[in-house]
Amino acid sequence: MNDRDVVRLLRKKVGADFEAVFRGDDCVALSLHDEESIFRGLIRHHSDAEKQDILKLISRLRRLEHLNLRKNSLGELPEEFQGLDSLRVLNLGSCQLRAIPEFVFRNAALESLFLGSNPIEVLDPRLMSLDKLKSLHLHKLLLKGFPDGLSRLQRLETLHLYLSGLKEFPRETFECGELSSISFGFCPLRVLPDEIGRLRQLRYFTLVVTKVKTLPDSFCDLRSLVATRLYKNRIERLPDAIGSLLNLEQIALYQNHLDTLPDSFRDLSRLRKLNLAKNRFTELPSVIRNLPALEWFAFFDNPVECAPQAFPGLETVIERPYGGSRMG
């Protein structure tokens, strides 16, 4: 049975159309995840026996490079998956996996691995041997620790760790010099390490729902930063040199403890979106009027005596977007 025959049989067993890409007669990409489907995972509600039958058929596609099984609640993968060793992109998110499947470590060329939303408590240290990885998604896990060796992943560009179970950044995070996107949060982290400033390629940074009160001065060394989400922390002040982030276009500081902004904030000449809602400002920071690129500004739920006037040409959210009276 060739790959085209296998895919035809798969379509019958899945009971729906799905993406399959061929290079010649070889199937090189397959996805059983469909955002247009009500359940997203096309075999999510098949029986366990039906799922295993379908997965065993997929294991025959030995030239697969891209495989997306997200949101199919698989529980476990068959032993036959050991034959899949040419993968470059693998998505196993929301598959009810309790450990990283053994076959993953056979894919030395893997560049993108999505393991988010699984009840995984322990990461196999062999994960750090996949040194071609550029994107690693480990969010919404139940991790009790993190293995050594993250710094071996020197090609890593994207690392998602929010709601991972971790209480602090893995210690080698800041030795991955190619990182351009990081997310972390929903944990009792109190201090953002000074080492964050080493990540000179960082463009997108998310730190949310923590106990962090200040950003280190080294945060201002992130000169490539384009957007940062820092909402629902306990940030009381921003670094004085925040204005040196000249590429910054978006910053969300919703629900922190800010009552003032540094004078250098006016130097953020590319800033387009700013969210200062639900902080402790008693008046509108004057530097806001000196941001030439600003297009959108949120300022609701601050203890100001009277609501600030809207700016001409600027979409300003000064009331709760979900309704309620103007601040006063």
Side-chain angles (χ1 to χ4, degrees):
M1 186 181 297
N2 62 34
D3 283 8
R4 292 187 182 274
D5 292 333
V6 170
V7 170
R8 275 193 288 269
L9 184 54
L10 277 170
R11 292 192 196 282
K12 292 180 181 178
K13 291 183 177 292
V14 170
D17 197 12
F18 56 81
E19 180 184 5
V21 178
F22 285 83
R23 184 184 299 137
D25 288 328
D26 296 328
C27 182
V28 295
L30 185 144
S31 176
L32 295 186
H33 176 263
D34 185 354
E35 285 295 332
E36 301 300 319
S37 169
I38 187 172
F39 299 116
R40 305 297 192 268
L42 295 178
I43 62 171
R44 185 180 184 90
H45 293 291
H46 285 50
S47 70
D48 289 343
E50 289 170 333
K51 289 178 182 179
Q52 289 299 306
D53 192 21
I54 288 168
L55 293 173
K56 287 177 181 178
L57 276 175
I58 291 174
S59 72
R60 296 189 183 189
L61 305 174
R62 298 301 178 87
R63 302 289 186 180
L64 273 179
E65 298 177 5
H66 296 241
L67 178 59
N68 187 348
L69 298 175
R70 187 181 181 195
K71 291 195 174 181
N72 279 296
S73 294
L74 301 175
E76 60 181 2
L77 300 176
E79 183 69 24
E80 286 83 350
F81 261 50
Q82 293 289 343
L84 298 179
D85 57 9
S86 299
L87 291 168
R88 293 192 293 112
V89 177
L90 176 61
N91 192 327
L92 296 174
S94 298
C95 280
Q96 292 300 310
L97 301 174
R98 296 190 175 278
I100 302 175
E102 188 71 23
F103 85 97
V104 171
F105 308 115
R106 297 176 60 84
N107 289 273
L110 204 59
E111 296 178 5
S112 177
L113 179 59
F114 192 113
L115 293 169
S117 299
N118 282 296
I120 297 174
E121 296 185 3
V122 178
L123 293 177
D124 192 310
R126 288 177 295 171
L127 178 62
M128 306 308 157
S129 68
L130 299 174
D131 58 8
K132 302 296 192 301
L133 278 174
K134 295 182 180 180
S135 180
L136 182 57
H137 297 251
L138 300 173
H139 56 283
K140 297 184 180 180
L141 303 183
L142 301 172
L143 297 182
K144 298 183 182 301
F146 202 90
D148 291 338
L150 184 60
S151 60
R152 295 173 62 185
L153 307 184
Q154 283 300 306
R155 300 187 185 189
L156 198 62
E157 298 174 1
T158 298
L159 179 62
H160 290 311
L161 291 169
Y162 68 91
L163 274 172
S164 63
L166 297 177
K167 296 180 180 180
E168 57 186 22
F169 284 92
R171 65 181 183 84
E172 297 176 52
T173 302
F174 308 110
E175 298 176 32
C176 299
E178 295 301 311
L179 277 171
S180 63
S181 178
I182 299 179
S183 66
F184 192 84
F186 294 90
C187 70
L189 180 74
R190 292 183 178 275
V191 177
L192 179 61
D194 287 336
E195 289 81 2
I196 185 72
R198 296 180 184 175
L199 301 179
R200 301 303 175 90
Q201 305 301 317
L202 198 62
R203 292 171 54 82
Y204 305 100
F205 180 63
T206 295
L207 180 72
V208 296
V209 195
T210 73
K211 296 182 179 181
V212 169
K213 292 185 177 182
T214 60
L215 302 178
D217 289 341
S218 61
F219 189 82
C220 302
D221 294 332
L222 302 176
R223 304 299 171 85
S224 298
L225 200 62
V226 172
T228 183
R229 296 187 295 178
L230 300 168
Y231 58 79
K232 293 188 178 181
N233 297 299
R234 300 182 182 181
I235 299 172
E236 298 174 348
R237 67 174 184 84
L238 299 177
D240 289 339
I242 193 76
S244 63
L245 301 177
L246 297 180
N247 288 303
L248 194 63
E249 297 180 5
Q250 301 180 32
I251 183 168
L253 290 158
Y254 170 81
Q255 198 168 332
N256 278 285
H257 296 174
L258 294 168
D259 59 10
T260 187
L261 296 177
D263 289 341
S264 73
F265 203 88
R266 70 180 72 244
D267 297 327
L268 299 176
S269 59
R270 296 187 180 183
L271 193 66
R272 296 186 297 106
K273 293 185 177 181
L274 171 62
N275 192 337
L276 294 178
K278 210 164 186 179
N279 274 276
R280 298 180 177 180
F281 293 96
T282 57
E283 61 182 4
L284 181 73
S286 60
V287 293
I288 302 300
R289 299 182 181 277
N290 299 104
L291 299 172
L294 196 62
E295 300 171 354
W296 186 94
F297 173 49
F299 198 66
F300 59 87
D301 281 0
N302 275 288
V304 294
E305 293 184 2
C306 60
Q309 297 296 313
F311 302 113
L314 175 64
E315 183 181 352
T316 308
V317 182
I318 53 180
E319 295 180 349
R320 291 186 180 92
Y322 42 82
S325 60
R326 186 180 293 268
M327 295 175 297

